[in-house]
Amino acid sequence: MPRHRNPLSCLFSLFGPAYTPVGEGAFRRKWRSDLTTLVVAGLLANSGSIAVSETPDSADWKGLVEASQSQLNPSSLPDPAPARARLDRAIAALDAFLATSPIEGPRWRRFLDWDAMQAELASPNPNLETLNAIEKGYRQNFFGLELSPFTAVRDALANYIPTQRLGANPEASMNILKNRLGRLAERSALADIKKDASMMHELAQTIAYLKQGNQGQELVATVGNSFSDSNLRVLVAKDFLAKRFYRPVDQNNPVNELILGTTILGHSNLKGVVTAQLIDSPSQAMVRLNMDGDLSTIGRGYNRSVVIHTQGNADVVAGESIALTESGLVPLGDVWANADLDTTICGIEHHLNLVRKIAARKAAEQKPLAEAISEQRIETRLRNQFHQQLASQMSDANSKLGTANSPEWLRLGLSKPMRNSSSSLESMSILWNIRNGVQLGADGPCPMPVESSGITVQLHQSTLANLLDPIVSGRVIKSEDMDSYAAQFGPMAKGMPRKEGDGPWSITLNGFQPVEMLLDDSLIRFRLRTTKLEREGQSLDQSSTVEAAYRVVIADNTVQLVREGDVNVEFSGTQQKGVRAVTLRTFLKNKFEQLFRPELFDKPIDWTERLPESFRDLQLASLTIDDGWMHVQMK
């Protein structure tokens, strides 16, 4: 049975082919996906509010930090007992669930390190690093882990670990918070901290600790508001929407009507176009779809022994609004239709001339009323057909995109991004805030100008750290698990391949946002923090920061990340000396050079293949990386 562990591939590709750890059974089924589709799906399907940023000035900042220091209160630290009770209930429920399957149950227990978890929780002082590693075992792309008995234990562990860390030893927790606040107080202003990536990491972790410890509420709120702007933005110009929604209409339908006692049989043809019109809506993106066409009909009317030949032409229009809601794109039901019909009597058949004359006079008299009835029926059919077709198309589009409640998001424990959308007569904006709890987002809108055509995507550097933190923080990357990463997440999850002569090794990632992406000066910098290296029974308990810078190379609709310079590995803390320490540090550097290769991808990626099929004709017009943002313009 393949071992569970940690997807180092999350650095670059979260999702690939799903994998089943327990053999044949009730938890197996097939699934394929990729990062772009899944992330777009989750983002489109969920909404929330986005706060307005406020940046405190120097005096306010220093005062807030000092006030938080002076107001540290150990009695406000969380009580671990309720969190432990919740965890015990979740474990008992999962135990009962697994007991229902005598074959799969024992396999899941082995897979989830059940005995190790029980042994650790039985200790008066459980090892939180061990529990964190076990909790990460529940965050994998394996079938079954999206089921509520599993997610309940995972979430209860994620709640218990920080509660126990802060609440079990109040004196130590107060010292940690005091020291962290002291380092922040040394900076004169929050604006100064924004310029330093390491201090931003320190700030984010301090705010998280304060929140978990029920401390410094005013500082937590102020910093949260200062970094609350959306960090993923899609801006769509009206010309792009007009092109994407435009479609011709050419429909032939039979005619079978009874109007004023006359049965009319024949056929009709509707030709026209459907176009899109943006609606000015500041709280929810909205688009009106309009159909403008010509309806022509040829019919024969039967009334007793008289046959009437007719032709008709009508100018028809119809429309309905759609909105971007929590469920995706949804028709609003405000459908309308209008028809202006003009009919011509082309001939009347009967063997008696008198009857033909009477029928002609009667038909002329009834023509206005018959046209009014026909117009009403045409409008009713147009309204019904337009709404039904639009609802069907929107349902199909939404089902292809999926939702952020999809099994993959549930397995990995990813939170729903907050979303806000709006539209004007010129463009549509869809803004996502990829941050959970007190994670920090962008400190303002992207400063780069947006063109008035095509589609613009703006990505802030905070997105990667916020997205990956619950999945990779504190993970222990082990050599024996490298093959399972690729099985779970696809070929991009090769990471650091095992080599003959390496022996068994493990790398422990930092417990808070160990993976960061820094966007500046036309470069993408990946920064990774570790806390420990073990190899063949030897240990290097020394924190390190690994950084590699990449330049985006685009050619023929393909993207490759080419490394600029060497991989930089810096060790912090007291330098461990001796041949063993030097050997371990060299080994660690070599491993990360395997991860951060000169060309990051095995082969250039055709980025259009990551887009929905209807968007694959897009051409990349420009790509700019600066000031914490990646700005992509497509047309």
Side-chain angles (χ1 to χ4, degrees):
M1 184 189 79
R3 294 287 294 167
H4 74 296
R5 290 287 187 262
N6 22 31
L8 186 61
S9 60
C10 288
L11 294 176
F12 308 114
S13 179
L14 279 177
F15 308 107
Y19 189 62
T20 305
V22 293
E24 299 295 333
F27 303 107
R28 178 185 290 275
R29 57 188 175 86
K30 293 183 179 180
W31 169 80
R32 296 279 177 181
S33 184
D34 59 54
L35 175 61
T36 303
T37 300
L38 189 56
V39 171
V40 170
L43 298 178
L44 279 176
N46 298 279
S47 64
S49 60
I50 297 178
V52 177
S53 297
E54 294 183 12
T55 302
D57 60 27
S58 300
D60 291 338
W61 168 252
K62 192 171 183 63
L64 279 173
V65 175
E66 291 176 348
S68 297
Q69 280 182 298
S70 64
Q71 294 168 6
L72 289 175
N73 183 5
S75 64
S76 297
L77 289 170
D79 181 4
R84 177 58 187 268
R86 172 189 171 186
L87 176 59
D88 290 342
R89 291 192 298 270
I91 290 174
L94 178 57
D95 188 32
F97 175 73
L98 296 178
T100 62
S101 176
I103 296 177
E104 303 292 347
R107 291 176 174 174
W108 275 110
R109 286 188 172 89
R110 289 194 298 271
F111 174 75
L112 296 170
D113 283 345
W114 189 268
D115 291 341
M117 178 180 67
Q118 295 285 22
E120 208 59 60
L121 291 173
S123 170
N125 296 302
N127 187 309
L128 299 184
E129 290 184 2
T130 300
L131 290 179
N132 183 76
I134 292 171
E135 186 263 350
K136 292 298 180 284
Y138 287 79
R139 296 181 187 270
Q140 300 188 80
N141 191 25
F142 289 144
F143 295 124
L145 289 178
E146 72 275 10
L147 300 177
S148 58
F150 295 101
T151 61
V153 173
R154 178 199 69 204
D155 295 343
L157 274 170
N159 176 61
Y160 170 73
I161 291 169
T163 301
Q164 175 71 12
R165 179 182 291 115
L166 289 167
N169 192 337
E171 183 177 355
S173 298
M174 289 294 100
N175 287 333
I176 291 173
L177 292 174
K178 183 178 180 180
N179 290 335
R180 287 189 169 276
L181 288 169
R183 288 194 292 271
L184 292 181
E186 294 174 359
R187 295 296 182 115
S188 59
L190 184 57
D192 179 44
I193 292 177
K194 293 178 184 179
K195 302 174 184 178
D196 187 330
S198 296
M199 281 304 301
M200 281 299 303
H201 187 274
E202 176 89 6
L203 174 64
Q205 187 167 13
T206 302
I207 294 301
Y209 282 176
L210 289 171
K211 178 66 174 178
Q212 293 167 355
N214 301 320
Q215 309 288 325
Q217 295 181 3
E218 186 177 358
L219 178 61
V220 170
T222 299
V223 173
N225 286 336
S226 298
F227 296 91
S228 62
D229 270 355
S230 55
N231 47 16
L232 176 58
R233 307 160 64 89
V234 176
L235 312 172
V236 186
K238 69 177 182 180
D239 69 329
F240 179 87
L241 282 171
K243 180 180 178 181
R244 295 299 157 177
F245 280 106
Y246 176 90
R247 65 178 178 87
V249 176
D250 190 351
Q251 296 180 353
N252 291 292
N253 291 295
V255 174
N256 187 345
E257 297 283 352
L258 178 62
I259 298 177
L260 298 178
T262 299
T263 300
I264 301 174
L265 302 178
H267 67 272
S268 68
N269 176 254
L270 174 62
K271 288 188 176 181
V273 295
V274 175
T275 58
Q277 176 187 358
L278 282 163
I279 298 173
D280 193 6
S281 175
S283 60
Q284 180 176 254
M286 297 175 62
V287 178
R288 177 175 288 279
L289 297 183
N290 298 311
M291 191 278 291
D292 190 350
D294 296 315
L295 177 69
S296 61
T297 63
I298 298 177
R300 302 177 70 183
Y302 298 90
N303 192 326
R304 298 179 184 178
S305 58
V306 177
V307 178
I308 304 173
H309 296 268
T310 63
Q311 289 184 349
N313 291 96
D315 294 328
V316 295
V317 290
E320 185 173 3
S321 303
I322 60 175
L324 183 57
T325 70
E326 294 184 6
S327 302
L329 294 170
V330 176
L332 295 183
D334 59 345
V335 61
W336 61 277
N338 185 66
D340 185 9
L341 177 64
D342 181 28
T343 58
T344 301
I345 299 174
C346 302
I348 297 177
E349 294 182 14
H350 194 273
H351 65 280
L352 295 176
N353 184 50
L354 178 61
V355 173
R356 290 196 299 272
K357 289 182 178 181
I358 294 172
R361 185 177 68 250
K362 188 69 173 178
E365 292 174 354
Q366 292 184 331
K367 182 173 178 289
L369 179 57
E371 287 181 341
I373 294 172
S374 296
E375 285 178 352
Q376 186 179 38
R377 292 183 181 181
I378 291 171
E379 291 169 357
T380 299
R381 283 196 296 270
L382 279 175
R383 282 194 297 269
N384 292 338
Q385 292 176 3
F386 196 89
H387 176 74
Q388 290 170 3
Q389 291 180 14
L390 184 59
S392 176
Q393 291 169 0
M394 295 300 99
S395 176
D396 182 59
N398 291 331
S399 66
K400 289 179 179 179
L401 288 174
T403 71
N405 291 322
S406 61
E408 299 76 39
W409 284 70
L410 293 174
R411 288 173 194 143
L412 298 174
L414 299 177
S415 300
K416 298 177 182 180
M418 296 179 287
R419 188 196 67 210
N420 188 18
S421 69
S422 63
S423 55
S424 68
L425 299 180
E426 300 298 322
S427 65
M428 173 191 295
S429 301
I430 310 173
L431 314 178
W432 290 276
N433 215 339
I434 302 176
R435 53 191 286 259
N436 180 35
V438 292
Q439 287 181 335
L440 305 185
D443 62 340
C446 179
M448 302 173 198
V450 178
E451 294 188 23
S452 58
S453 63
I455 181 169
T456 303
V457 179
Q458 298 173 332
L459 178 72
H460 188 257
Q461 61 189 17
S462 62
T463 54
L464 186 66
N466 289 348
L467 187 65
L468 295 187
D469 186 52
I471 305 171
V472 298
S473 60
R475 274 194 182 271
V476 181
I477 310 296
K478 291 192 174 183
S479 55
E480 62 263 32
D481 298 322
M482 298 308 299
D483 291 340
S484 76
Y485 303 156
Q488 290 186 69
F489 300 98
M492 287 190 64
K494 294 177 181 178
M496 299 175 288
R498 290 184 295 175
K499 290 188 174 182
E500 292 185 11
D502 277 355
W505 54 265
S506 68
I507 299 172
T508 303
L509 300 182
N510 190 59
F512 179 82
Q513 292 194 343
V515 180
E516 292 179 289
M517 176 177 65
L518 307 176
L519 303 173
D520 199 19
D521 294 332
S522 300
L523 295 175
I524 302 174
R525 297 181 186 274
F526 295 105
R527 180 174 290 175
L528 191 148
R529 291 179 170 86
T530 73
T531 59
K532 186 177 182 179
L533 167 66
E534 290 184 317
R535 183 191 180 201
E536 297 182 319
Q538 297 180 329
S539 176
L540 179 66
D541 293 314
Q542 190 172 5
S543 298
S544 72
T545 301
V546 183
E547 186 172 303
Y550 284 87
R551 187 174 301 277
V552 181
V553 177
I554 300 173
D556 299 327
N557 278 339
T558 65
V559 176
Q560 179 63 275
L561 297 185
V562 178
R563 199 178 72 207
E564 292 269 316
D566 297 329
V567 177
N568 184 38
V569 181
E570 294 185 358
F571 294 91
S572 60
T574 303
Q575 187 81 351
Q576 292 180 240
K577 299 180 180 180
V579 175
R580 179 180 61 83
V582 172
T583 300
L584 290 175
R585 282 195 291 270
T586 301
F587 176 81
L588 182 67
K589 187 176 188 300
N590 290 337
K591 278 299 167 190
F592 282 112
E593 286 178 342
Q594 295 173 25
L595 174 64
F596 295 117
R597 295 169 290 181
E599 291 187 343
L600 190 57
F601 309 132
D602 288 338
K603 62 179 181 179
I605 294 175
D606 187 342
W607 64 275
T608 60
E609 293 180 354
R610 303 300 177 101
L611 298 174
E613 186 173 354
S614 59
F615 288 75
R616 291 180 183 174
D617 62 337
L618 283 172
Q619 298 295 317
L620 183 64
S622 64
L623 185 149
T624 307
I625 298 173
D626 203 13
D627 294 331
W629 288 90
M630 179 185 296
H631 178 96
V632 181
Q633 179 74 33
M634 296 176 287
K635 295 182 179 180

